[in-house]
Amino acid sequence: MNTTVVILAAGLGTRMRSKRAKVLHRAGGLALVEQVVQAALAVAPPERIVVVTGHQAEAVEELLWPAGVRFARQVEQRGTGHALMCAREQLELADPKHDGLLMVLYGDTPLLAAATLKKLRDQQAESKAAATLITTTLENPAGYGRVIVAEQGAEQGAEQGNVIAIVEHQAARPEQLLVRLINSGIYCFRSRWLWKHMGEIQPDPASGELYLTALAEILNRHGLQVRQLHVEEPSELLGINTRVELAAADRLLRARKARELMLSGVTIERPETVTIDALVRVGADTIIEPFARLTGNTVVGEDCRIGQGAILESATLSHDVTIAPYTLISDSRVDPGAQVGPFARIRMDAQVGPQARIGNFVELKKTRFGAGAKSQHLAYLGDAEVGERANIGAGTITCNYDGEKKHATKIGAGAFVGSNATLVAPLEIGEESYIGAGSVITEAVPAHALALGRGRQVNKPGWVKKRKKKA
Ligand code: UD1
Ligand code: CA
């Protein structure tokens, strides 16, 4: 039986107190709705996933476009049941005859694990019930819909009984408020029964909204069964409504990611201090020191060391790379055996070649730094190409910007650039050449030449004594 998934993500999320739609807020390195899509992909291919958008629909759709999912618009937010109705046309493209399963997820539950969704699908596929919903038992169920089970279910323990109704918090009677069994907002329906009875949902008398949760009672009225999958660990079902819950979800997602990496062979010192985004990949036997931050599409190879406080933003590190503490690498690449930092900054499509060395307070911008080349301290290399084995002295600066345009600097293989050289671009420095320390170089330097571009030193013997005598 095929599974189609719908993710409801049209709400604003008033309790976030934000200009941005709730599902666009990030936890664990992805927007909340992206996390839900990631989990959904475990049970359905992207063309069978429909996301219902409303608030800031364009932004949500743009974000999810690359994933290849479908979209349906809910222009006015008239409740979760109404949101599902808005997706009908798109859902029918995936399941025209309504003979599959329809899983409904909410876009604000980012901690959902793929394994739980598979379990839900399997349980529903094997049962005769019209629907199965994920429930859990909470210490403090305030705000959640309460799950009411059949009498004989109560005898067996509420967790096993058939669901006869879901009562929203605001509508619950005092004795119902005591129920701690709650609706997680994750359901798996047999499509046929869902669409047959969907139209029977009546507006909630208080809010006027169409609540999806009303279906539990409706299906029961038709003699159809609603079952539950009770989850023991409620943290996975946390629905984000406030920024406090957002921070809690972020912490849990980071911990889950660190654990996943450790189990796959990565050493993480003080895992509670590192921040690693969901899509980051790290090879075995790499060591990550405390307070490192790996974000975006960062990929790290095997046997690397990521120093304390290092920040890797969509960086690509090959194997055996050492990133010393407090180094920032963004949208750039580091080749095998290279060492970068401490306190270095590599950015905008820069590339550090194999076995190269970049030391403290060195910045590389859009620069290709050759194999085995060295720049150990205090330099700025922008729009440059540095040949292999070249040595860049402390204080070297490429003057790549004339106030209007950026210009390139090319430094040949094996060149030796003395300390505090000022390289005025556009400029070409030949291979195996020497640049005298303190030079301002404005013209091309031929290969194997020595270039000096500085005032000659003058010594005046006895000058100080003479001056003192005058005084
Ligand atoms: C909902 C459930 C509640 C459950 C809880 C679990 C209903 C009526 N109530 O309550 O039983 O315990 O989730 O977290 O379903 N949305 C739309 N369009 C709308 C309204 C909502 O797309 O018109 C989306 C929201 O963007 C959100 C999701 O549906 O992602 C849930 O909506 P929300 O308002 O957060 O529902 P809760 O009050 O939390
Ligand atoms: Ca919610």
Side-chain angles (χ1 to χ4, degrees), residues 175-248:
E175 74 273 16
Q176 289 172 327
L177 284 175
L178 298 176
V179 173
R180 288 165 48 228
L181 187 68
I182 63 102
N183 167 31
S184 67
I186 302 152
Y187 325 77
C188 190
F189 293 93
R190 205 164 283 251
S191 302
R192 176 179 323 278
W193 299 122
L194 173 85
W195 294 119
K196 185 151 184 226
H197 299 296
M198 192 71 195
E200 296 166 39
I201 297 180
Q202 296 297 317
D204 176 77
S207 67
E209 292 191 354
L210 298 172
Y211 289 161
L212 181 59
T213 44
L215 267 177
E217 217 174 325
I218 294 170
L219 293 171
N220 268 277
R221 212 186 295 141
H222 291 282
L224 296 163
Q225 262 193 8
V226 178
R227 305 282 307 165
Q228 52 173 316
L229 170 61
H230 190 266
V231 170
E232 300 301 320
E233 181 45 59
S235 66
E236 202 191 305
L237 309 173
L238 184 69
I240 308 304
N241 294 314
T242 67
R243 297 201 201 223
V244 175
E245 288 162 346
L246 184 71

Side-chain angles (χ1 to χ4, degrees), residues 409-427:
T409 302
K410 200 172 167 195
I411 300 172
F416 183 95
V417 178
S419 296
N420 220 31
T422 302
L423 309 177
V424 181
L427 183 65

Side-chain angles (χ1 to χ4, degrees), residues 15 22 106 108-109 239-241:
R15 288 164 282 180
K22 173 165 71 177
Y106 292 167
D108 65 349
T109 52
I240 308 304
N241 294 314

Side-chain angles (χ1 to χ4, degrees), residues 7-13 15 22-23 52-54 74 76-84 105-109 141 143-146 166-170 182-187 209-214 237-241:
I7 300 172
L8 308 186
L12 171 64
R15 288 164 282 180
K22 173 165 71 177
V23 296
V52 180
T53 62
Q74 185 194 23
E76 232 184 304
Q77 281 69 56
R78 292 168 48 204
T80 45
H82 176 254
L84 181 53
L105 310 176
Y106 292 167
D108 65 349
T109 52
Y144 286 93
R146 309 300 207 279
I166 300 170
V167 184
E168 289 306 308
H169 182 96
Q170 307 88 316
I182 63 102
N183 167 31
S184 67
I186 302 152
Y187 325 77
E209 292 191 354
L210 298 172
Y211 289 161
L212 181 59
T213 44
L237 309 173
L238 184 69
I240 308 304
N241 294 314

Side-chain angles (χ1 to χ4, degrees), residues 307-312 323-329 340-346:
Q308 166 150 338
I311 301 174
L312 306 182
I323 305 299
Y326 306 107
T327 291
L328 169 57
I329 302 185
V340 181
F343 301 102
R345 182 177 186 203
I346 312 293

